[in-house]
Amino acid sequence: MKDVLLLVGAGQIGMAIARRIGFDKKIIIGDKNLVNAKKIADIMYNAGFDVNYLEVDLADRISIKNYIQEAQKYGQIGMLINVAGVSPSQASIETILKVDLYGTAVLLEEVGKVIKPYGTGVTISSQSGHRMEALGSEIDEQLATTDCEDLLSLPVLQVENIKDNLPNASVKPLNLFMGLYAR
């Protein structure tokens, strides 16, 4: 069995990263849209990669856990590339928060439970998070340390507290990532 590389989000950026680091891995592409996942899997397979694809809904903990369990059938998870997400031009504030924030937090939490020692991962976020003003240390800490299931209950993330979909929709996943693994 090979080490498994999880690629969540079937797009060009994730594929480029996976092609660079996944030559000796079993790559499991997860995406909500199986047509997109199959396209990326076919391209990578034709380039000589050992790849499979599965459906995963990043807004659903059970779907994330099922994706991880299926991927573990191919070997031990050693790498995670998360490029999944929705942008303000694609979705409502609620959907963005559910996928980009909650889903990323759950994915990192669940992969963190099973990734092999010294495994590695990267989450790529959109530039939307850089368009907003700094949230401040108190809110950054809340985002980094609040249990995944309680994240969307934070006052700062209530729709009535988000004035403009574009600048406020993306909540810095890197801060969240650091907080989840700092526990």
Side-chain angles (χ1 to χ4, degrees), residues 61 109 142 145-152 180 183:
R61 182 182 287 272
E109 180 179 274
Q142 290 172 359
T145 61
T146 300
D147 184 82
C148 294
E149 297 307 319
D150 297 327
L151 269 174
L152 298 179
L180 286 172
R183 288 190 206 179

Side-chain angles (χ1 to χ4, degrees), residues 50-165:
D50 185 4
V51 63
N52 197 1
Y53 62 96
L54 300 168
E55 183 176 4
V56 63
D57 180 354
L58 205 54
D60 182 336
R61 182 182 287 272
I62 293 171
S63 180
I64 292 168
K65 289 175 84 167
N66 289 340
Y67 166 70
I68 292 168
Q69 285 177 333
E70 284 299 311
Q72 286 178 299
K73 292 178 181 177
Y74 296 96
Q76 190 172 15
I77 295 172
M79 295 179 157
L80 167 67
I81 302 167
N82 176 25
V83 293
V86 292
S87 73
S89 64
Q90 296 173 311
S92 68
I93 292 170
E94 296 89 351
T95 300
I96 291 167
L97 292 172
K98 184 77 174 177
V99 174
D100 295 1
L101 178 64
Y102 169 80
T104 297
V106 170
L107 179 66
L108 294 171
E109 180 179 274
E110 294 297 335
V111 170
K113 293 175 183 177
V114 299
I115 197 166
K116 74 181 203 171
Y118 303 103
T120 188
V122 63
T123 294
I124 305 296
S125 67
S126 76
Q127 65 181 357
S128 296
H130 297 285
R131 294 180 182 170
M132 60 190 283
E133 59 190 58
L135 298 172
S137 60
E138 182 180 332
I139 293 173
D140 281 349
E141 183 176 345
Q142 290 172 359
L143 291 170
T145 61
T146 300
D147 184 82
C148 294
E149 297 307 319
D150 297 327
L151 269 174
L152 298 179
S153 299
L154 291 173
V156 70
L157 298 178
Q158 300 314 298
V159 174
E160 63 272 10
N161 295 330
I162 300 175
K163 294 181 177 85
D164 183 354
N165 192 353

Side-chain angles (χ1 to χ4, degrees), residues 4 23 25 30 33 35 55 72 98 144 149 158 171 175 182:
V4 173
F23 66 93
K25 313 281 186 287
N33 183 326
V35 172
E55 183 176 4
Q72 286 178 299
K98 184 77 174 177
E149 297 307 319
Q158 300 314 298
V171 183
N175 290 342

